[in-house]
Amino acid sequence: MAGKLDLDLDLDLDLDLDLGSRPGSGGGPRFNSDDFPRLIPTPFPPTIPVPTLDYSVGGWDPELRTWSYVEEFVESYTWPNTAVTAVTTAINAQTYFPVPTRNYTLPGITNPLTPTTMALQVKGVLDASIDRADRSLEIIDQASGRGALHYWTGMLRIDPSKDKSTFLLMLVARKIGEYVAMGLKDHFQMRRPAQVYPLIMPLIDGPDTPSFPSSHSLQAHLITGVLKLALTPAVAPAWPPVGPPPPPCANGAQALDVLADRIAYNREVAGVHYRMDSLAGHFAAVQILNQLHNLPASGPFQKLVGDANRELKDVH
């Protein structure tokens, strides 16, 4: 028995050291450092062939791959007119939804949030709460940006391991959306619904970020928007929204719009966003989509859309 115990301990120790510890435990060395001398040939070769294939053949982590596309988007603006300032200017100029400001005399806002429109926004959150019983599991499932992605992959039957360009396109939209959303939130600094009217009692704890605009709405409409650009025929972004079509949807583009609207509205049902947050997120997504749609055809984003189009050739 003692011999078996010693053997088990030795195997566990060797496996942990040589092969890395179990998933989630932080990893470990592949083999002990004293093994290296035995792996080095004698004499060591004076030349080693340079790889003829680049890394794109093997692929790399799509979450990290998104940053080169974010860079193209960021560089498409001319400083100091950054993406965030450009979208902020557009939000301030529109009249479709009220815009929060800590100073009602601040210039440049056409439709400022007032005590009267604030009451309407709070009332809208309370009215939306009637749908909580029906949507609670869906809301919890969509609470994280990552968790919401499988609603698009499920709708369009996207397999991330096979439809790599389409999935990467979705991740690019999510990353760009997060970048712009956080900049806008920092600018407008709007308090969350329960911080304005505590009796709302949110279904879930919202993130510790400002409320306006809704990042879920911005990212959802941006993901839907880039996928619509990859459809045949491509569907360009448009504002104002025409509202969801009555079921059944006539085509994939309409279904994608319904999905984005539903994800955005679910955050209102949960009590963590106002209606103006959802509309501002949608509006911001359209501004971003217009910028992306006008990027050079020879650039990485447009090429990615073309690759995704070939994967989505059966979606209309």
Side-chain angles (χ1 to χ4, degrees):
M1 178 64 70
K4 182 179 185 301
L5 180 61
D6 291 340
L7 179 61
D8 288 343
L9 289 175
D10 287 342
L11 283 174
D12 287 342
L13 181 61
D14 288 342
L15 286 172
D16 286 341
L17 287 176
D18 291 345
L19 301 180
S21 50
R22 295 178 180 84
S25 63
R30 296 293 184 179
F31 38 73
N32 296 328
S33 58
D34 60 1
D35 288 335
F36 276 107
R38 293 192 291 270
L39 299 177
I40 299 175
T42 303
F44 192 80
T47 61
I48 295 178
V50 176
T52 58
L53 299 178
D54 59 34
Y55 204 86
S56 63
V57 174
W60 54 334
D61 186 332
E63 282 283 359
L64 300 178
R65 184 72 179 91
T66 60
W67 286 109
S68 62
Y69 298 92
V70 175
E71 181 183 30
E72 183 193 20
F73 170 73
V74 170
E75 291 182 345
S76 68
Y77 291 87
T78 303
W79 180 265
N81 186 39
T82 65
V84 173
T85 57
V87 176
T88 298
T89 300
I91 287 175
N92 289 346
Q94 59 75 46
T95 59
Y96 199 84
F97 49 84
V99 177
T101 171
R102 288 160 289 174
N103 180 359
Y104 291 119
T105 62
L106 185 69
I109 296 181
T110 305
N111 185 18
L113 183 66
T114 66
T116 300
T117 51
M118 184 75 258
L120 293 174
Q121 292 296 318
V122 170
K123 178 68 162 49
V125 177
L126 293 170
D127 289 343
S129 67
I130 195 172
D131 290 324
R132 286 187 183 180
D134 291 336
R135 300 196 180 198
S136 59
L137 293 178
E138 184 179 340
I139 288 169
I140 293 171
D141 194 33
Q142 295 170 351
S144 69
R146 185 78 181 183
L149 284 178
H150 69 264
Y151 285 81
W152 283 276
T153 58
M155 173 179 285
L156 299 185
R157 302 300 299 163
I158 297 170
D159 184 343
S161 66
K162 297 178 181 177
D163 306 312
K164 293 183 178 181
S165 295
T166 304
F167 188 64
L168 178 58
L169 183 64
M170 293 170 55
L171 294 182
V172 168
R174 190 179 68 147
K175 192 77 73 177
I176 291 175
E178 183 179 39
Y179 158 67
V180 176
M182 293 305 115
L184 294 173
K185 286 175 181 287
D186 183 55
H187 177 83
F188 291 105
Q189 295 286 331
M190 181 62 193
R191 302 286 280 179
R192 293 271 177 175
Q195 294 172 315
V196 174
Y197 196 78
L199 291 179
I200 285 175
M201 190 64 70
L203 175 67
I204 58 175
D205 292 330
D208 191 14
T209 61
S211 184
F212 183 94
S214 165
S215 182
H216 269 67
S217 177
L218 197 162
Q219 290 175 291
H221 286 98
L222 193 52
I223 292 171
T224 276
V226 296
L227 289 173
K228 287 165 61 179
L229 290 178
L231 296 180
T232 304
V235 180
W239 185 268
V242 296
C249 296
N251 51 52
Q254 287 184 357
L256 286 167
D257 284 335
V258 170
L259 175 58
D261 287 343
R262 185 179 180 94
I263 289 175
Y265 178 64
N266 279 346
R267 303 294 283 178
E268 299 171 44
V269 175
V272 296
H273 276 297
Y274 311 97
R275 183 60 183 159
M276 65 182 180
D277 298 343
S278 297
L279 292 172
H282 188 173
F283 180 82
V286 171
Q287 309 309 305
I288 297 168
L289 285 164
N290 284 331
Q291 187 76 6
L292 291 171
H293 193 40
N294 291 323
L295 289 176
S298 59
F301 178 79
Q302 296 290 10
K303 289 181 178 179
L304 181 61
V305 170
D307 292 340
N309 171 262
R310 286 183 283 276
E311 294 175 351
L312 294 174
K313 60 182 179 299
D314 293 330
V315 180
H316 302 287

